Amino acid sequence: EPEVTQTPSHQVTQMGQEVILRCVPISNHLYFYWYRQILGQKVEFLVSFYNNEISEKSEIFDDQFSVERPDGSNFTLKIRSTKLEDSAMYFCASSTGTGPTGELFFGEGSRLTVL
Amino acid sequence: AQSVAQPEDQVNVAEGNPLTVKCTYSVSGNPYLFWYVQYPNRGLQFLLKYITGDNLVKGSYGFEAEFNKSQTSFHLKKPSALVSDSALYFCAVRGPSGNTGKLIFGQGTTLQVKP
């Protein structure tokens, strides 16, 4: 069964460092998303991406964050200068985009720890 | 604005007993509702969705959910709980952007099934 894959599974970084989280969405999917979850709490929307541009972003997704689809398979989330409060589990998701009824398929997540 | 609420932080049930995890929603327009499950240190797995039609929706692992328009609820149910059902459950609603839009998640309910 096709799945969304994410790397790394866990990254530890120092405050102020840049971090890139990588995702390979399901191959025929057209819509891509990043979510984050702090310590098993609520799953918060960060950004959605379609047709090589951001289609929607939340207040959390400030200038420190960026997303990119550098080739036909990868979808990356970059945090330019990490803060302690960026420590969270980051989930990538994708969907076929066949209308509002489609579910999102999530990866296993990348745990980011900022020291 | 679209939102969902899960009024219980935790639900405890004995193995073999029926379980219910509650969710209420608030939407403008048609409600597109979803349930996801998250096992410890894992990503979110899709369980089921309500789009239209039959108010009782069947999903994975023997779960079902009942859509109730008058009570604006979408409760998750299972006739006989298993210890392996113990996990974090999230109700979600499609955001107002429709097919390009995000899923908005509730705060999650921890289900604990005791042997």
Side-chain angles (χ1 to χ4, degrees), chain A residues 101, chain B residues 30-32 49-58 65-69 74:
Chain A
T101 61
Chain B
N30 294 322
Y32 301 112
K49 63 183 176 184
Y50 172 81
I51 305 305
T52 186
D54 195 349
N55 289 342
L56 186 64
V57 179
K58 293 192 183 297
E66 186 172 9
F67 173 74
N68 188 316
K69 187 173 182 179
F74 187 55

Side-chain angles (χ1 to χ4, degrees), chain B:
Chain B
Q2 321 290 80
S3 67
V4 289
Q6 296 179 242
E8 303 155 315
D9 289 336
Q10 181 155 331
V11 170
N12 297 308
V13 65
E15 187 173 32
N17 283 0
L19 69 88
T20 298
V21 182
K22 295 180 180 176
C23 173
T24 58
Y25 67 88
S26 173
V27 301
S28 55
N30 294 322
Y32 301 112
L33 298 160
F34 303 77
W35 275 102
Y36 282 79
V37 60
Q38 184 181 32
Y39 297 101
N41 300 312
R42 303 294 298 275
L44 284 79
Q45 294 180 33
F46 169 74
L47 280 178
L48 51 79
K49 63 183 176 184
Y50 172 81
I51 305 305
T52 186
D54 195 349
N55 289 342
L56 186 64
V57 179
K58 293 192 183 297
S60 306
Y61 312 122
F63 283 93
E64 56 192 28
E66 186 172 9
F67 173 74
N68 188 316
K69 187 173 182 179
S70 63
Q71 297 185 3
T72 61
S73 67
F74 187 55
H75 300 333
L76 182 70
K77 301 183 179 192
K78 188 173 182 182
S80 179
L82 299 172
V83 172
S84 56
D85 293 329
S86 298
L88 185 55
Y89 290 80
F90 290 98
C91 181
V93 64
R94 176 70 69 186
S97 308
N99 61 317
T100 64
K102 57 193 184 262
L103 290 183
I104 300 165
F105 288 87
Q107 60 268 46
T109 298
T110 299
L111 173 66
Q112 187 75 30
V113 181
K114 297 201 164 132

Side-chain angles (χ1 to χ4, degrees), chain A residues 38-111:
Chain A
I38 297 175
L39 281 177
Q41 295 178 18
K42 190 173 183 176
V43 178
E44 301 175 295
F45 169 76
L46 292 178
V47 65
S48 59
F49 191 85
Y50 169 71
N51 199 26
N52 283 320
E53 61 182 24
I54 291 173
S55 51
E56 188 175 359
K57 60 183 181 180
S58 72
E59 294 176 353
I60 303 168
F61 194 89
D62 61 22
D63 292 345
Q64 294 298 316
F65 291 88
S66 63
V67 289
E68 193 177 35
R69 189 158 162 82
D71 52 42
S73 59
N74 289 285
F75 179 51
T76 61
L77 174 69
K78 181 191 289 186
I79 308 174
R80 190 167 59 193
S81 178
T82 50
K83 307 184 186 77
L84 294 177
E85 54 265 36
D86 293 328
S87 294
M89 183 73 90
Y90 289 81
F91 291 106
C92 175
S94 66
S95 72
T96 58
T98 53
T101 61
E103 62 267 31
L104 272 58
F105 293 82
F106 285 82
E108 294 286 293
S110 293
R111 181 174 299 281

Side-chain angles (χ1 to χ4, degrees), chain A residues 2-64:
Chain A
E3 59 182 19
V4 176
T5 57
Q6 291 186 240
T7 54
S9 56
H10 189 194
Q11 180 155 357
V12 181
T13 190
Q14 295 290 324
M15 190 169 55
Q17 295 297 304
E18 177 183 282
V19 162
I20 297 176
L21 305 178
R22 291 182 168 80
C23 169
V24 180
I26 295 173
S27 62
N28 64 338
H29 285 189
L30 300 176
Y31 295 85
F32 314 113
Y33 308 83
W34 283 101
Y35 284 78
R36 79 172 186 190
Q37 184 184 34
I38 297 175
L39 281 177
Q41 295 178 18
K42 190 173 183 176
V43 178
E44 301 175 295
F45 169 76
L46 292 178
V47 65
S48 59
F49 191 85
Y50 169 71
N51 199 26
N52 283 320
E53 61 182 24
I54 291 173
S55 51
E56 188 175 359
K57 60 183 181 180
S58 72
E59 294 176 353
I60 303 168
F61 194 89
D62 61 22
D63 292 345
Q64 294 298 316

